[in-house]
Amino acid sequence: MADERWIAGPTDDRVDEMAQKYVDLSHPRLGTEAVACTDDFFAPMHRMLSPEPAIFIEDKYDDHGKWMDGWESRRKRIPGHDWCLIRLGVAGTIRAIDIDTSHFTGNFPPEASVEAFSGPEQPADDAQGVELVPRMTLQGNSHHLVEVESDQVWHWLRLNIFPDGGVARLRVFGEIHKDWEVVSADEQVDLAAQLNGGVAVAWNDAHYGVPANMIAPGKGVNMGDGWETARRRVPGNDWSILKLGHRGAVEKILVDTAFFKGNYPDRCSIRAIALDDDANLDQIGEDSASWPLLLDEQRLSADSEHEFEPLTHDPVTHIRLDIFPDGGVSRLRLFGKKR
């Protein structure tokens, strides 16, 4: 019987909610990779981690048969089942997993499960991990979103499929674990970076791209790899709120509008505050409008990096980026020291 946490069918809205709330730990830009599998004859295992939604090309074939956008093993003629081992690029706590069989109809696995392992060493092929997703029934051409109740930090995942078949995408939604004990108080780091545990917690609009993109690793790759709001037709301005990976003093601010040429914000400002761990965040959107200024209103330009000095070096835990009146920001960097 399927696990009661299983949500079958087209759950794109739920998957989108998880993608906005958490980091996709399976994203290759974090360094995540598929490192081993029993078989990937029809479609290579690394394709299952592609960040783009799976596609189907009706007339596309390769030397092994029908081209499929995902991981697909051959039809199994011996006992056992197929599996794929995934090394997370950054260790993290997992909150939900989506096993996506989009476009796999007569070749999806009837069942699947997911095991997790901790520690830097690659687990042996016959090692038994902690079962985060119990063996469950799958459907073809569907999302299967399973919420995970565990606060443990994981480094490896093994997707088991029974007995064989194809999975279009595996998404692993969670929170990055950063060991701040190894960071010196004198070391300047990006306090908001996703890799350092920074997360987007609230925003008023994310029509074209979510705020979490602003704190992703590296430079933006295109206009879709940033935070962009819809065109504002009413008074006011757009905003987003980030929680820093660690309480710290911001010493340098970088606002990058790469790729945003006809749709960059005219101006921006940043407010910041230090909140307790148990602070009630239900009203954070409204409350943040009166937080102290970290950066007063500054002009922005198209497709450019802008470096600013903050107004204060007081320790903060949360920041609010206001853009006037709307538009897109590719990356936001808040360099400083933990406090």
Side-chain angles (χ1 to χ4, degrees):
M1 178 178 292
D3 186 273
E4 63 180 3
R5 295 170 293 170
W6 171 46
I7 305 166
T11 61
D12 292 353
D13 289 346
R14 285 290 311 279
V15 173
D16 287 346
E17 288 176 16
M18 290 294 175
Q20 291 186 1
K21 186 176 182 181
Y22 298 111
V23 178
D24 180 7
L25 298 173
S26 66
H27 202 299
R29 72 183 172 192
L30 299 180
T32 298
E33 58 181 343
V35 298
C37 68
T38 49
D39 184 273
D40 59 354
F41 181 85
F42 283 115
M45 57 185 177
H46 69 82
R47 201 175 285 164
M48 182 173 59
L49 302 180
S50 297
E52 302 82 9
I55 61 173
F56 183 79
I57 304 176
E58 185 173 356
D59 297 324
K60 186 171 183 176
Y61 291 83
D62 57 26
D63 290 341
H64 286 180
K66 181 69 183 77
W67 184 92
M68 293 297 292
D69 193 8
W71 165 50
E72 185 182 2
S73 65
R74 75 189 81 196
R75 300 189 187 209
K76 185 166 286 294
R77 304 308 191 196
I78 58 176
H81 70 277
D82 289 321
W83 51 262
C84 180
L85 182 67
I86 295 159
R87 182 186 66 81
L88 297 180
V90 288
T93 302
I94 296 172
R95 301 304 181 191
I97 295 175
D98 178 36
I99 303 173
D100 177 8
T101 59
S102 290
H103 311 299
F104 288 88
T105 54
N107 51 350
F108 66 93
E111 296 176 304
S113 69
V114 178
E115 299 171 87
F117 304 84
S118 291
E121 297 299 322
Q122 180 171 330
D125 291 353
D126 59 353
Q128 288 190 336
V130 174
E131 200 172 54
L132 295 187
V133 178
R135 186 165 173 168
M136 57 184 283
T137 302
L138 300 184
Q139 294 181 1
N141 197 33
S142 299
H143 289 267
H144 308 81
L145 186 66
V146 179
E147 294 187 22
V148 175
E149 297 178 2
S150 171
D151 290 327
Q152 190 165 341
V153 176
W154 306 106
H155 297 76
W156 302 83
L157 292 178
R158 184 162 60 206
L159 172 63
N160 301 300
I161 57 174
F162 304 94
D164 54 40
V167 174
R169 296 289 187 267
L170 182 71
R171 298 287 186 245
V172 182
F173 302 113
E175 298 152 344
I176 290 175
H177 172 74
K178 172 70 174 181
D179 184 3
W180 282 93
E181 294 298 321
V182 302
V183 179
S184 166
D186 297 324
E187 181 181 353
Q188 189 180 73
V189 297
D190 184 355
L191 295 166
Q194 209 172 57
L195 291 177
N196 289 332
V199 293
V201 297
W203 51 89
N204 75 309
D205 186 288
H207 186 84
Y208 292 111
V210 295
N213 288 338
M214 292 191 296
I215 55 176
K219 291 278 291 183
V221 297
N222 54 40
M223 199 171 70
D225 189 22
W227 170 47
E228 185 183 2
T229 66
R231 297 192 186 209
R232 176 169 280 274
R233 305 305 191 192
V234 295
N237 70 280
D238 294 325
W239 53 266
S240 62
I241 298 172
L242 305 176
K243 179 183 178 183
L244 305 184
H246 194 282
R247 174 187 169 105
V250 178
E251 299 174 331
K252 184 173 69 174
I253 299 168
L254 182 70
V255 181
D256 186 359
T257 58
F259 302 104
F260 292 98
K261 300 176 181 179
N263 51 351
Y264 65 95
D266 181 65
R267 306 175 311 283
C268 78
S269 67
I270 297 177
R271 296 179 179 274
I273 198 170
L275 297 176
D276 296 332
D277 290 339
D278 59 353
N280 186 345
L281 302 182
D282 290 342
Q283 298 295 319
I284 195 169
E286 181 178 340
D287 294 345
S288 60
S290 60
W291 289 353
L293 278 170
L294 182 69
L295 178 70
D296 55 6
E297 205 167 298
Q298 302 286 334
R299 285 280 181 181
L300 298 178
S301 56
D303 193 28
S304 302
E305 288 188 355
H306 309 76
E307 188 173 312
F308 303 113
E309 294 293 326
L311 295 172
T312 174
H313 292 162
D314 293 340
V316 297
T317 60
H318 292 70
I319 70 100
R320 167 178 165 137
L321 173 64
D322 282 283
I323 57 174
F324 302 92
D326 54 33
V329 174
S330 178
R331 292 292 186 268
L332 175 65
R333 304 302 188 204
L334 300 171
F335 298 102
K337 296 171 184 173
K338 72 176 188 179
R339 291 291 183 262

